[in-house]
Amino acid sequence: MATQETAKTQYITAKDIKYAYRIIGHASSNNATTPPLLMLNHFRANTDLWDPEVINRLAATRQLITYDYAGMGHSGGEVARSVKGFSQNLIAFLTALLPSLNTTFVDVLGFSLGGFVAQQLVLDAPDLVRKLVLSGTGPSFGPHLERPMAEVNSAIMAPTPSGPAVIDTFFPSFIAKEAGEAWLNRVVGGRQAMAGKDDEPEWAFFLTGPGLSNLIEAYLKWDADPTPYALLSTVQKDVLVTAGQNDLIVPSQNSYILSRQLQRANFVLYPGSGHGHPFQYPEFYTKQVVSFLNGEWPTPPFSAGTIAPQ
């Protein structure tokens, strides 16, 4: 079975953009009930920077698609200047790829920025999505949302990325030295043995350079756009929303509000953790994701509603 460390990088061109992706794990015998799980990574990240502890545990039960956004990692094109642009690129990618996987839709796990893109995707192309997992993420502009501290935004948007700064924003201070450094070592080391060998691309770090300004623009536009927030109540998909107890990048309250706006959402708060809760608790987190995708969580009965007689 291919893993985060061993999966071959593949490419597909859609609307003149060459996208990099990897297929990890085993295909289901029935893609109608167990479609591939599309993994959408966080701000500035790429396919090389997924945590093997999360990817490999999920891949043991299903087929995963990891994917580089346009202009990031190993994909061509330019970084989109809006989350809507990220979504339109993703729709083109999926439309080109899914026939080769014998399916017409996917489950989607979006972490952080990936959660923004997942929300926009299900609004733009609901038929492409079966279920959603939204982790360490929040809705676009709306009432009662909190904003992260300016120092946090400065750390994640710095022109030159800093590993220690990322650790400090992802993990609580009392476990940052142990859990945070272990996570960073895993994501940095995961693809090093493959990088640059047997036609594999060189290893890619966090996004820098001209594309970063486009990414920041997309991030800030999302925070100022009330439309996706207003449309969340129209989403008729089963959703799992997870958050750390004290998320510095996407305040935990925002994840809770996101779950309240989605009619079919479960919400889980991880104790003693922050933005990086999936990587702090990879075994427990992946068990929850798998059981949710397998239909083992409660879902509300569907009703279009009726109007009581006057």
Side-chain angles (χ1 to χ4, degrees):
M1 181 192 81
T3 65
Q4 170 65 9
E5 296 90 343
T6 64
K8 295 290 291 182
T9 306
Q10 302 182 62
Y11 301 91
I12 194 168
T13 299
K15 293 190 174 180
D16 298 323
I17 297 175
K18 185 179 180 181
Y19 293 100
Y21 70 97
R22 296 182 183 127
I23 302 296
I24 304 175
H26 296 294
S28 167
S29 59
N30 186 351
N31 280 344
T33 57
T34 311
L37 176 60
L38 173 68
M39 305 290 293
L40 300 177
N41 214 343
H42 63 90
F43 191 77
R44 303 180 76 164
N46 60 69
T47 51
D48 288 350
L49 296 173
W50 275 113
D51 186 349
E53 285 287 325
V54 169
I55 294 295
N56 295 343
R57 290 176 188 277
L58 292 174
T61 68
R62 62 193 302 124
Q63 186 177 69
L64 306 187
I65 306 167
T66 63
Y67 153 85
D68 278 341
Y69 306 115
M72 297 175 63
H74 307 298
S75 286
E78 295 185 354
V79 178
R81 293 178 179 271
S82 67
V83 172
K84 181 80 170 180
F86 274 75
S87 172
Q88 294 304 307
N89 288 339
L90 179 53
I91 291 169
F93 166 77
L94 290 173
T95 301
L97 177 68
L98 293 187
S100 68
L101 300 179
N102 299 313
T103 186
T104 58
F105 54 88
V106 291
D107 290 333
V108 182
L109 189 157
F111 172 60
S112 193
L113 170 74
F116 301 168
V117 179
Q119 292 171 60
Q120 190 66 58
L121 173 67
V122 77
L123 292 172
D124 292 340
D127 289 345
L128 287 176
V129 179
R130 187 187 71 137
K131 294 185 178 184
L132 287 166
V133 179
L134 303 173
S135 298
T137 194
S140 68
F141 181 77
H144 310 302
L145 296 176
E146 297 180 1
R147 290 285 175 256
M149 295 183 296
E151 294 86 349
V152 172
N153 275 344
S154 295
I156 66 172
M157 297 178 183
T160 301
S162 164
V166 172
I167 288 174
D168 287 343
T169 56
F170 270 52
F171 296 89
S173 58
F174 58 87
I175 57 115
K177 180 68 176 175
E178 181 178 352
E181 290 187 2
W183 164 75
L184 189 62
N185 287 336
R186 293 196 303 267
V187 300
V188 169
R191 292 291 299 185
Q192 294 288 1
M194 292 279 289
K197 301 174 183 176
D198 298 325
D199 297 323
E200 281 296 300
E202 295 292 342
W203 182 77
F205 195 43
F206 296 114
L207 178 69
T208 58
L212 180 58
S213 62
N214 288 17
L215 182 61
I216 292 172
E217 181 179 339
Y219 185 94
L220 296 178
K221 281 180 177 176
W222 174 263
D223 270 355
D225 184 359
T227 302
Y229 181 105
L231 293 174
L232 286 174
S233 61
T234 69
V235 174
Q236 296 294 329
K237 307 288 182 181
D238 293 338
V239 185
L240 172 62
V241 180
T242 71
Q245 193 170 29
N246 185 27
D247 191 325
L248 300 180
I249 295 176
V250 179
S252 306
Q253 176 170 314
N254 297 0
S255 296
Y256 174 65
I257 291 172
L258 171 63
S259 72
R260 289 293 303 272
Q261 291 299 111
L262 293 161
Q263 296 184 32
R264 302 180 64 82
N266 289 277
F267 176 69
V268 178
L269 190 70
Y270 283 65
S273 62
H275 195 63
H277 63 279
F279 319 123
Q280 183 177 340
Y281 300 110
E283 182 175 7
F284 188 72
Y285 173 79
T286 53
K287 283 181 179 178
Q288 289 201 315
V289 169
V290 169
S291 65
F292 166 75
L293 295 176
N294 287 345
E296 298 168 10
W297 289 55
T299 57
F302 176 77
S303 172
T306 58
I307 301 175
Q310 300 298 312

